[in-house]
Amino acid sequence: MISANLSAIFYLVSGVLFILALRGLSSPETSRQGNLFGILGMIIAITVTFLSTSNFSTGFIFVLIFILAGGSIGAFIAYRIPMTAMPELVAGFHSLVGLAAVFVAISAFLNPEAFNLGSPGKIKLGSLIEMSIGAAVGAITFSGSVIAFLKLQGIMSGSPITFKGQHFLNALILITIVALIYLLCSTQSPNLFWILLIVSFLIGFLLIIPIGGADMPVVISMLNSYSGWAAAGIGFTLENTALIITGALVGSSGAILSYIMCKGMNRSFFNVILGGFGATEEMGSVSNKEQRPVKSGNADDAAFLMKNASSVIIVPGYGMAVAQAQHALREMVDTLKKNDIKVSYAIHPVAGRMPGHMNVLLAEANVPYDEVFELEEINNDFANADVAFVIGANDVTNPVAKTDPQSPIYGMPVLDVEKCKSVLFVKRSLSPGYAGIDNDLFYKENTLMLFADAKKMTEDITKNL
Amino acid sequence: MEIDPLIFRLSIFILSIFVGYYVVWSVTPSLHTPLMSVTNAISSVIIVGAIIAGLSGNSESVFNTSSIFGFLAIALAAINIFGGFLVTQRMLAMYKKKTKDKK
C-alpha cells in the first residue's frame, strides 16, 4: 500500500509518458520508441493501482485472470488482423473503450464507497455529474462505433440511412440527455441512470447511420475523440490524473484528425455529421448523365506507356485496399525502377476509410515511406510527370472540383492528375465514385481506362513490362 | 478560502488539451493510422478505474453487481491495451524496415 500522494505522482508520470508516446509519432524513426513509452506508462498506471489498493483478497486473482483473458484476445487479434482491415479494427477498439467507460461508471454508481464518492443515493454532486457525462459519452462512443464497425465490415450497407425528421429526433434526444443528467443529479434515482444509458446508446446509433461509407475517415476520427472525452469524464470521477491527461490527449487528437479529414473533403464538420451526402447527390447525377466516348486499353498498352515514361506517379485509393493490390503494385513499381523510371506515390488526405490508411498499406507492401507524398508535397509534380497511375481512387482526382462551382465536390482539394502527359485509370467500370458524380478525367484525351480488378490488372502489367 | 481540488484537475485537463493539440499537429500524416491505434491503447488506461471497481468486493464475496461490471471492464480494456499497443508496434515495424531497405 502506497500513499495517495505517491500514487498521484506515478499517475502523472504515466500521463507524461503517454504524451511522449504521441510525440514519438512525429517521424517514423522515433515512433517505435514512442510506442514503448506508451507501454511503460500503461504498466506504471496498472502497477500503481494494484499497489494503492489495500484489498489483496481473492479479488486480486480474478483481476489478473480478466487482464490475461482480455490481453490474450487482444494480442491474438493484433497479430492476426490483416492491414486492410485496420479501419474496422480501430472502430471495434473504440467501441470497447466506450463500453469499458460505461461499465466503470455503472460500477461507480452502484458502489460509490469503493471510489470514495459517497454512498448510494448520496453520491457527491460533482462526481455524479462527471460520472453521468462519462457514461453518456461512453455509451454514444460504443453504439456509434458498433455501427461504424458494421458499415466498414460490410455487414451493414455503407450507404447513408436517412429518414424524415431525423435531425429533429436527434436534437430532441440530445436535449433529453441533458435533462436526464440534470434530473439524475437532483434525484440520484438509479432508474434515471439506466434510462440515461439507454438513450445515449440510442443517440450513438442514430448519429452514425446517416453517414456514408466514404465519410468514414471523419466518423472514425470523431469516435476516437469521443472515446477520449469519455475517458476524461471517468478520470474526473475517479480523480485520476493519468486518465484526465490521456482523455484530453485522445480527445484533442481525434478532434484534430476529424478537422484534417473534413478539410480534405472541403466540407464542414456539421455537414458530414448531418450526413446523407451520397444519397442526395446520386439522384441529381443520374438525370444529366450523357454518353461520352472513353478510351479503354489493356495491360499491354499500359505497360507500353509506362516503359516509355521517365517518371510515374501512383495514386492509390480505397479500391486498392478492397482488391488487396498493394503487394502487386509494389512488384510493378520494382520492375519500373529496374528500367530507371522514377516512381512516387501521391496520397490524398481522405483516400481510404481512415486517416493514413493508404500509408499503412503501402508500408505493409514494403514501399519506403520517403517515396510516399502528401497532396501538397506532390501536386505540382503531376505537370512534369509522364504517367499517372490511378488505382482504386476516383473522386479525389476529379478535376470538376476545380472547374465546376455547381458540383457537390467543388472546392475539395484534388490531385492534379489530369496535368500528366497520360493517365492510366484502373477501375472496374465507369460507375461514379462515392460522391455520385461523373469523373471528367475518364473522358479526357490523354486518359486510358483499364477496366479490371486492380490486383489482376497490376499483375498483368508487370508481366508485360 | 481554499481552492476546490476540482479546479486543479480542471487545470490539468485544459492544459493537456493544449499539449495534445500541439503534439498531434506535429504527427506526420503518414502515421495517422498508428496514431489512432495508439490513442486507442492509451485511452484504455481507464482500466485503473475498472481494477478499483473489480476489487470493491470483500473477501467473503468477490462478486457483487458492482465488481462484476468492474471485471467486465477490465477484460474490455485489456483487449484494447494489448491489441492497441501490439498492432501499433506491428505497423510501426513495417515503416522502419523500409528505411533500412533503402539505405
Side-chain angles (χ1 to χ4, degrees):
Chain A
M1 171 98 190
I2 55 175
S3 80
N5 284 336
L6 190 60
S7 54
I9 287 172
F10 277 116
Y11 284 133
L12 183 63
V13 170
S14 68
V16 171
L17 285 168
F18 291 150
I19 295 175
L20 293 176
L22 299 193
R23 183 75 187 91
L25 289 171
S26 58
S27 89
E29 285 88 28
T30 55
S31 60
R32 278 163 55 89
Q33 190 197 22
N35 199 40
L36 294 179
F37 280 139
I39 296 173
L40 185 64
M42 189 60 75
I43 292 173
I44 291 177
I46 293 176
T47 315
V48 169
T49 312
F50 278 142
L51 292 179
S52 58
T53 174
S54 48
N55 187 353
F56 280 97
S57 62
T58 38
F60 191 75
I61 298 161
F62 282 99
V63 171
L64 286 180
I65 291 174
F66 277 91
I67 289 183
L68 288 178
S72 19
I73 297 172
F76 180 76
I77 296 172
Y79 282 114
R80 285 291 303 277
I81 192 91
M83 285 298 144
T84 39
M86 211 43 76
E88 293 94 302
L89 180 76
V90 169
F93 278 169
H94 286 152
S95 72
L96 299 184
V97 179
L99 196 59
V102 171
F103 283 171
V104 173
I106 292 177
S107 183
F109 185 78
L110 293 176
N111 189 359
E113 283 112 334
F115 296 86
N116 276 327
L117 306 175
S119 56
K122 288 193 190 66
I123 301 174
K124 282 187 277 181
L125 179 66
S127 310
L128 192 57
I129 297 174
E130 294 151 4
M131 194 190 296
S132 41
I133 292 175
V137 179
I140 294 172
T141 311
F142 171 70
S143 55
S145 300
V146 168
I147 301 299
F149 175 82
L150 293 177
K151 284 195 172 193
L152 286 164
Q153 189 81 326
I155 298 170
M156 210 174 131
S157 154
S159 54
I161 298 166
T162 48
F163 53 86
K164 243 187 145 194
Q166 193 164 23
H167 302 324
F168 179 72
L169 179 69
N170 289 351
L172 199 71
I173 294 180
L174 285 175
I175 295 168
T176 312
I177 288 181
V178 177
L180 278 170
I181 292 180
Y182 177 79
L183 285 175
L184 174 65
C185 291
S186 48
T187 63
Q188 303 245 1
S189 148
N191 287 337
L192 284 174
F193 186 73
W194 300 120
I195 295 171
L196 173 69
L197 285 180
I198 292 167
V199 174
S200 303
F201 281 127
L202 185 68
I203 187 73
F205 170 79
L206 287 171
L207 278 175
I208 307 302
I209 53 166
I211 305 180
D215 285 338
M216 277 305 155
V218 182
V219 172
I220 293 195
S221 318
M222 187 181 82
L223 291 167
N224 185 232
S225 182
Y226 286 179
S227 70
W229 304 130
I234 302 297
F236 273 103
T237 320
L238 306 181
E239 310 183 346
N240 185 306
T241 330
L243 208 40
I244 295 176
I245 295 179
T246 315
L249 287 179
V250 178
S252 54
S253 161
I256 291 173
L257 288 176
S258 321
Y259 171 79
I260 297 175
M261 293 303 114
C262 287
K263 251 197 128 175
M265 295 192 288
N266 187 39
R267 296 174 59 198
S268 75
F269 185 66
F270 284 103
N271 186 303
V272 176
I273 296 310
L274 294 178
F277 185 59
T280 47
E281 298 311 331
E282 221 162 340
M283 309 286 185
S285 75
V286 174
S287 53
N288 57 26
K289 207 174 216 170
E290 53 197 290
Q291 289 295 322
R292 285 191 279 176
V294 291
K295 277 198 290 183
S296 75
N298 56 28
D300 205 15
D301 306 329
F304 177 78
L305 267 173
M306 284 206 257
K307 228 187 289 180
N308 292 306
S310 61
S311 71
V312 174
I313 298 179
I314 293 170
V315 181
Y318 183 57
M320 180 187 83
V322 175
Q324 307 250 10
Q326 66 271 29
H327 297 281
L329 184 66
R330 152 85 182 186
E331 274 161 34
M332 184 187 91
V333 170
D334 282 346
T335 322
L336 289 174
K337 280 199 212 148
K338 267 185 218 139
N339 293 323
D340 280 326
I341 298 163
K342 185 175 169 281
V343 186
S344 35
Y345 299 80
I347 313 273
H348 191 275
V350 293
R353 286 290 183 267
M354 73 183 290
H357 191 187
M358 290 299 119
N359 303 79
V360 170
L361 293 183
L362 292 176
E364 188 201 10
N366 277 323
V367 173
Y369 58 79
D370 31 16
E371 287 177 12
V372 183
F373 298 94
E374 304 301 316
L375 176 104
E376 306 86 47
E377 295 173 318
I378 201 167
N379 227 3
N380 293 327
D381 296 357
F382 281 106
N384 304 319
D386 297 306
V387 176
F389 186 73
V390 182
I391 175 166
N394 186 358
D395 291 336
V396 298
T397 63
N398 197 340
V400 152
K402 288 174 287 190
T403 53
D404 180 9
Q406 302 298 314
S407 166
I409 61 166
Y410 181 71
M412 170 171 138
V414 287
L415 292 158
D416 297 334
V417 174
E418 76 282 0
K419 290 189 181 149
C420 263
K421 288 200 187 74
S422 41
V423 178
L424 294 169
F425 213 114
V426 185
K427 211 171 172 307
R428 274 202 253 217
S429 69
L430 269 185
S431 63
Y434 167 72
I437 41 168
D438 233 4
N439 192 339
D440 268 3
L441 202 57
F442 298 165
Y443 314 104
K444 290 253 172 185
E445 195 70 4
N446 56 353
T447 305
L448 189 67
M449 299 297 295
L450 306 167
F451 294 113
D453 172 72
K455 188 175 178 188
K456 176 131 199 325
M457 176 53 78
T458 318
E459 284 165 351
D460 287 349
I461 294 174
T462 315
K463 275 184 214 139
N464 282 302
L465 276 170
Chain B
M1 219 179 100
E2 249 185 83
I3 298 172
D4 192 310
L6 175 69
I7 305 299
F8 289 116
R9 285 192 286 278
L10 200 62
S11 317
I12 295 173
F13 180 62
I14 304 289
L15 291 176
S16 301
I17 292 178
F18 278 92
V19 171
Y21 179 86
Y22 288 107
V23 168
V24 171
W25 271 116
S26 74
V27 171
T28 165
S30 66
L31 292 176
H32 276 162
T33 300
L35 171 68
M36 304 205 87
S37 60
V38 87
T39 49
N40 234 316
I42 64 172
S43 54
S44 302
V45 73
I46 201 159
I47 198 170
V48 300
I51 292 173
I52 299 172
L55 292 176
S56 64
N58 49 43
S59 39
E60 289 91 53
S61 64
V62 177
F63 293 101
N64 55 47
T65 334
S66 168
S67 74
I68 288 171
F69 276 112
F71 285 124
L72 291 176
I74 291 174
L76 294 177
I79 294 179
N80 246 344
I81 292 171
F82 282 73
F85 280 125
L86 288 173
V87 88
T88 310
Q89 194 84 343
R90 209 180 123 199
M91 277 192 267
L92 294 176
M94 301 185 314
Y95 281 86
K96 197 189 172 199
K97 231 186 283 165
K98 289 165 302 159
T99 14
K100 272 193 179 163
D101 280 0
K102 218 185 167 212
K103 278 165 192 169

